[in-house]
Amino acid sequence: MTRTLTCIICPRGCALTAEIVGEDVRVSGHACKRGEAYAVNECLHPMRTVTATIRVNNREDTMAAVKTREPVAKGDMMAVMQMLRSRTVAAPIRIGDILVQDVCGTDIVATRDVE
């Protein structure tokens, strides 16, 4: 199987080609080792930072902007989103506050103040 990727590690944006055979990934098109590592990880164990909102229960029609502190496995993204839909938090909220702990191995943190 062959995948074409654009490296997102630096502004250069190398066009990568990854040939996947089992657990072996051969990468071409990278200008540095970081691009090669990115392609291998993206093919074998893709991770994503989830950004979303969570309802603020003591403010009318207010949502708080949040993200996962660390990237989660791509397959866990929907579990994170379902959890966020089922929870509420109370204001005031400050950037960096941990709003929910241990969701798929990481915390949910605020990315914006809510007074």
Side-chain angles (χ1 to χ4, degrees), residues 11-80:
R12 185 178 231 156
C14 294
L16 308 174
T17 301
E19 289 192 44
I20 307 159
V21 179
E23 289 289 314
D24 184 38
V25 180
R26 289 185 218 115
V27 181
S28 61
H30 57 287
C32 66
K33 290 285 184 189
R34 294 183 317 159
E36 181 179 20
Y38 165 76
V40 170
N41 287 334
E42 183 63 18
C43 290
L44 299 179
H45 309 289
M47 303 289 282
R48 299 291 184 269
T49 298
V50 177
T51 59
T53 56
I54 191 169
R55 186 163 304 284
V56 178
N57 59 16
N58 60 343
R59 300 290 187 272
E60 191 172 326
D61 296 325
T62 302
M63 303 291 278
V66 298
K67 72 177 191 87
T68 53
R69 180 186 299 269
E70 301 293 330
V72 297
K74 188 175 177 182
D76 289 338
M77 289 175 60
M78 291 310 294
V80 172

